[in-house]
Structure formats: C-alpha cells, structure tokens
C-alpha cells in the first residue's frame, strides 16, 4: 500500500488578520498545501470569527485549495454560501446536525456544488456519528482539541479514532483524507500521521513564528518516517 500525500494546512485563526492576503500568500510560498479557515458562530462554540466574505478574500489571494471548517450550529443553512465563496473542502461537525440521515444529506448537497465534503467530530463525540456515511465523505476531521480556540494542547486519546477511521477506510477500499486540527506542531504531527492522518492543520505553530517555511518543513520532515501505510 502506498503512502498518502501529507498536506500541511495553516489555519488563519492565528494569522495577522490586518494583512490577511499577505499572510496566506506567505503561507502558500512557504509550502502550505491548503489554507484552513475556522468559521465560528458564537453558538456552537463561544467564539465568533468570520463568514463567507473572508473565505472569498482568502480564495482570491491563493492558488492552493481553501479548507473551510464550520464550527456553527446550523451548517445546512450556510453550506451553500461557503461553497459559493470558494471553499474547495467544506467540513461541518456531525454533532451539529440531526442524525446520520442529515449528515448524508448535507454531504450530498456540498458535493452537488462541486465542493469536497468533510465531517468533523469533537474529542468527546464518537466516530459512529458518521461512519455509516464514510463512502460519501472525502475528508474526515478528527479534532485533536475541543473546537473553539487556537493554542490548545493535543489530546492524545483521540489518536485511537484516527486509527479506527483509517482501518475502516482501508477495509472498505476508500480513499479518504483524515485531517487533524488542534495542537499540531513539529512533535505531535508525527503521532497523528503514524495513526493514519494525512492532513495536518496548524495555526499557532506556523503563524506565530517568524519563519513559516521552517515550521512547515519541520512538520514535513517529522512526518516522513512516521506515516501509516494507507491505500
Ligand atoms: C480550533 C480550530 C483550529 C485552530 C488550531 O477550534 O479549529 O483550526 O486554529 O489552532 P492551533 O494549531 O494553534 O492549535
Ligand atoms: Zn479548524
């Protein structure tokens, strides 16, 4: 089995938003594979960040894909707006919708807009919320911290969920990206890729440094030897 491409994905939550366009371009030039946009509504999580207009600004600034992470209570209501704004991947939380059928319906809707659909779960939520929809999912986001803010420490227990999703994907012959988000740095990234993750979101580790390329290269090198074999 071949290794899956590792994607390193800076989150703009920790970028200098006074210079958003310059920041995301710098991340792209430093070797980022996608740009991660954290959308918070003050309801699903306490913080409020931004909406589709900022996603659109990011999209216009870079040529790499834009990965949008919806931490909002009503993702069905806003999915189309974020797809129209230029999301290339749109991830919603399984626990924010009402059961597996709603998960499937929203996945299908996002795909119908030509956008790659993804599903996230917080550390205390089970993967069973979406596992029966796995064939309809392009990207699974296993939160490695509780959604809501940057700069938290990775919760090691969630690595078991990454392994379980990767094993299930291999077993079913599905080519799925597994994303991790929260507390990712030059040390924790390798734990996640060894467990089967291949999309690594990093906010403060990249944007709170003076040398984005050095941070991205450190993550990339650390994951080179640790990646689980995946289809
Ligand atoms: C947390 C967000 C993350 C956040 C990660 O709710 O989903 O994307 O930006 O920040 P770090 O990498 O600093 O833990
Ligand atoms: Zn995120």
């Amino acid at each position: 089995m071949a290794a899956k491409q590792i994607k390193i994905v800076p989150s703009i939550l920790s970028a200098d938003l006074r210079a958003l366009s310059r920041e995301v371009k710098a991340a792209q030039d430093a070797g980022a594979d996608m740009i991660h946009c954290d959308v918070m509504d003050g309801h699903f999580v306490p913080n409020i960040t931004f909406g589709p207009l900022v996603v659109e600004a990011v999209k216009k600034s870079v040529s790499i894909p834009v990965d949008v992470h919806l931490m909002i209570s009503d993702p069905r209501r806003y999915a189309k707006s974020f797809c129209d704004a230029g999301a290339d991947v749109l991830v919603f939380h399984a626990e924010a919708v009402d059961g597996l059928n709603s998960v499937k319906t929203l996945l299908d809707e996002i795909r119908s807009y030509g956008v790659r659909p993804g599903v996230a779960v917080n550390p205390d939520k089970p993967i069973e919320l979406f596992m029966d929809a796995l064939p309809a999912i392009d990207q699974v986001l296993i939160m490695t911290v509780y959604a809501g803010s940057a700069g938290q420490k990775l919760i090691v227990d969630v690595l078991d969920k990454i392994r379980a999703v990767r094993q299930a994907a291999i077993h079913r012959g599905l080519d799925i990206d597994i994303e991790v988000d929260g507390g990712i740095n030059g040390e924790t990234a390798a734990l996640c890729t060894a467990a089967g993750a291949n999309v690594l979101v990093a906010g403060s580790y990249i944007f709170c440094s003076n040398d984005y390329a050095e941070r991205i290269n450190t993550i990339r090198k650390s994951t080179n030897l640790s990646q689980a074999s995946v289809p």
Side-chain angles (χ1 to χ4, degrees):
M1 290 197 191
K4 225 170 144 45
Q5 189 205 343
I6 299 284
K7 298 178 191 170
I8 300 174
V9 188
S11 162
I12 64 169
L13 201 55
S14 296
D16 181 350
L17 295 181
R18 291 172 301 178
L20 178 60
S21 182
R22 196 179 68 210
E23 285 279 71
V24 293
K25 279 192 185 103
Q28 173 174 272
D29 291 346
D33 297 291
M34 293 198 282
I35 300 292
H36 187 81
C37 297
D38 284 307
V39 178
M40 304 184 191
D41 66 353
H43 189 259
F44 182 74
V45 290
N47 282 330
I48 298 177
T49 55
F50 48 77
L53 287 178
V54 167
V55 171
E56 199 176 336
V58 171
K59 180 70 182 174
K60 285 178 180 160
S61 302
V62 292
S63 54
I64 53 178
V66 178
D67 178 44
V68 178
H69 175 195
L70 297 181
M71 287 164 274
I72 65 176
S73 291
D74 195 354
R76 295 178 75 168
R77 180 168 175 192
Y78 295 101
K80 185 170 190 303
S81 305
F82 285 97
C83 292
D84 290 346
D88 294 281
V89 186
L90 186 63
V91 179
F92 63 92
H93 275 256
E95 63 267 39
V97 298
D98 186 21
L100 189 65
N101 280 340
S102 299
V103 169
K104 286 180 178 162
T105 303
L106 188 48
L107 289 166
D108 289 347
E109 182 187 337
I110 293 167
R111 194 179 297 282
S112 78
Y113 302 135
V115 173
R116 301 182 66 224
V119 175
V121 279
N122 259 313
D124 62 347
K125 295 291 185 283
I127 58 173
E128 284 68 31
L129 288 175
F130 62 78
M131 283 303 272
D132 283 346
L134 212 52
I137 302 174
D138 282 11
Q139 183 169 292
V140 166
L141 168 51
I142 301 294
M143 290 302 296
T144 35
V145 300
Y146 282 90
S149 59
Q152 304 176 68
K153 202 168 172 290
L154 176 134
I155 299 167
V156 176
D157 286 356
V158 304
L159 296 175
D160 286 340
K161 290 203 269 189
I162 301 170
R163 289 186 198 98
V165 175
R166 183 55 77 199
Q167 284 307 316
I170 291 171
H171 186 66
R172 299 190 211 175
L174 299 170
D175 180 22
I176 286 174
D177 282 324
I178 301 182
E179 178 174 45
V180 284
D181 184 7
I184 302 299
N185 57 40
E187 281 149 26
T188 55
L191 298 174
C192 297
T193 51
N198 69 302
V199 180
L200 308 167
V201 176
S204 46
Y205 183 68
I206 295 174
F207 278 117
C208 296
S209 95
N210 292 323
D211 188 343
Y212 303 167
E214 186 272 330
R215 289 287 161 105
I216 288 172
N217 288 336
T218 299
I219 294 177
R220 213 178 284 289
K221 278 188 207 136
S222 77
T223 58
N224 271 349
L225 297 172
S226 68
Q227 198 182 6
S229 286
V230 295

